[in-house]
Structure formats: structure tokens, C-alpha cells
């Protein structure tokens, strides 16, 4: 990763560094096309009290105290459906959740960012995942139409999850009983 984020005790999110995509540097914010050398307030989250953050390889997530999830950085894989320019990707955008084709409010409790994928755990211990899924690394069975999950999908194969760890090609899910489940590319362990 080429950036860092931090959460203050008062719920403000700061970042520094730069975000990259497959073609190189895309900048730090919609007004800073280079590298941010020292911590700067992440624009677009000030009206929310943020309780948790997660940093991926080139994207970030923030969770507000009222359960809203925001994403920014190189989110081109996970946000293709929003059809935004690279500069717009650098501003936090709220993620909306659908289940069986209907918008839902899943009461998100925690967020996790993997290499390129994103995860959220709701109050019922259900995992929601979005991002690259070509190896089923999001925990969702890989079908022709699910190589990339552009909106959050429920990971049906696990429950009572308390933590997620993910890299580019695989993910691990820890449940409340201490059991670990894995998904994705498995030839390395």
C-alpha cells in the first residue's frame, strides 16, 4: 500500500500518501493529484461520526456510528456500477446493500478491507462482501456473473462471524466459536 489512514478519538478520519490503480498514481483527493505528505482530514466524512476504519491495498472503508459504510481510493473494481471518474473515486461514497434485489439496512457493526475486496459484518454476524471474486475470494460461489461483485453480497456459507482477513486471492473468516473458514485461491495453504 502507498497510503495510511488513521481515526481520531473524536471520529475524524485522516490520511496521507497516495492511491494507485493498475496504471499508477491516481492521487490523494479530488483536489490533490499527487502525494499527501502529512496527515490530512478525509473530505466527505465530516458530517458523520466514524467509529471504525479499514485500509485495503489501494482503497479504504469507514463505518459510522449509525451503520453507514463509506468507500474511497482505487475502488474501480468494486464501484464499476457507479461509473465514476478516477478523481471521484477519491471522495468517500456511501455503499448501499441489497438482498434478493431489495435495498436493506443490515446494521453493519464492523468493516474489513482486503487486497482489493471489501467486507462488512452486520449485527447478526452475517458477512457482506464486494470486489474481485474470480477465485471466490469474497466467499461467494464463483459463477459466470460473479467474477466481480459490484454490490455487497451475503456470504451464505458462514455465520456468526466476528472478523475477516483478506488478501488479493483469498479470505479468512473467524466465527464466534473460534473456528476459521477460508475461501479463494487455495494452492498456497
Amino acid at each position: 500500500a502507498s497510503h495510511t489512514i488513521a481515526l481520531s478519538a473524536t471520529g475524524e478520519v485522516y490520511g496521507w500518501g497516495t492511491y494507485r490503480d493498475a496504471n499508477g498514481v491516481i492521487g490523494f483527493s479530488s483536489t490533490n493529484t499527487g502525494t499527501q505528505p502529512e496527515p490530512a482530514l478525509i473530505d466527505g466524512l465530516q458530517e458523520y461520526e466514524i467509529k471504525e476504519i479499514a485500509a485495503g491495498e489501494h482503497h479504504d472503508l469507514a463505518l459510522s456510528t449509525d451503520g453507514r459504510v463509506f468507500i474511497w481510493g482505487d475502488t474501480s473494481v468494486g464501484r464499476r456500477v457507479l461509473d465514476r471518474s478516477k478523481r471521484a473515486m477519491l471522495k468517500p461514497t456511501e455503499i448501499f446493500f441489497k438482498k434478493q434485489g431489495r435495498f436493506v439496512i443490515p446494521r453493519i457493526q464492523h468493516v474489513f478491507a482486503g487486497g482489493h475486496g471489501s467486507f462488512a459484518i452486520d449485527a447478526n454476524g452475517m458477512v457482506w462482501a464486494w470486489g474481485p471474486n474470480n477465485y471466490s475470494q469474497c466467499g461467494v460461489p464463483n459463477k459466470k456473473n460473479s467474477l466481480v461483485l459490484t454490490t455487497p453480497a451475503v456470504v451464505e456459507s458462514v455465520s456468526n462471524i466476528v472478523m475477516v482477513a483478506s488478501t488479493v486471492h483469498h479470505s479468512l473468516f473467524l466465527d464466534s466459536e473460534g473456528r476459521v473458514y477460508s475461501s479463494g485461491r487455495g494452492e498456497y495453504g
Side-chain angles (χ1 to χ4, degrees):
S2 54
H3 73 285
T4 301
I5 57 171
L7 179 62
S8 75
T10 56
E12 297 168 312
V13 180
Y14 291 86
W16 58 100
T18 190
Y19 295 95
R20 298 174 175 272
D21 67 5
N23 298 311
V25 172
I26 55 175
F28 178 76
S29 69
S30 58
T31 58
N32 180 344
T33 60
T35 299
Q36 176 65 37
E38 66 271 336
L41 193 63
I42 299 294
D43 188 37
L45 295 173
Q46 292 85 345
E47 66 186 88
Y48 305 98
E49 184 179 345
I50 302 301
K51 72 173 194 171
E52 190 171 289
I53 56 175
E57 189 170 332
H58 298 294
H59 77 287
D60 297 315
L61 299 170
L63 174 63
S64 68
T65 55
D66 64 356
R68 295 172 188 248
V69 177
F70 300 90
I71 188 169
W72 69 98
D74 177 22
T75 58
S76 56
V77 174
R79 284 178 38 185
R80 278 189 193 143
V81 72
L82 298 178
D83 194 31
R84 301 209 183 258
S85 72
K86 287 184 180 185
R87 291 279 177 265
M89 291 189 306
L90 298 175
K91 183 172 175 135
T93 300
E94 188 172 354
I95 294 293
F96 295 98
F97 296 80
K98 278 185 176 182
K99 190 172 185 183
Q100 298 171 339
R102 300 180 65 184
F103 284 104
V104 295
I105 302 170
R107 297 185 348 221
I108 299 300
Q109 303 295 305
H110 299 287
V111 290
F112 302 90
H116 299 293
S118 300
F119 301 86
I121 297 176
D122 69 21
N124 298 317
M126 290 178 55
V127 177
W128 297 75
W130 63 102
N133 195 47
N134 50 321
Y135 296 105
S136 297
Q137 62 264 48
C138 285
V140 175
N142 187 343
K143 299 175 185 165
K144 275 196 235 179
N145 60 351
S146 67
L147 295 178
V148 175
L149 303 174
T150 57
T151 58
V154 173
V155 180
E156 302 281 353
S157 59
V158 295
S159 60
N160 299 315
I161 299 302
V162 296
M163 186 178 288
V164 178
S166 181
T167 67
V168 175
H169 294 138
H170 76 276
S171 300
L172 301 171
F173 305 90
L174 174 67
D175 75 10
S176 59
E177 301 288 318
R179 293 178 293 234
V180 177
Y181 303 89
S182 67
S183 65
R185 198 170 182 176
E187 65 263 17
Y188 300 113

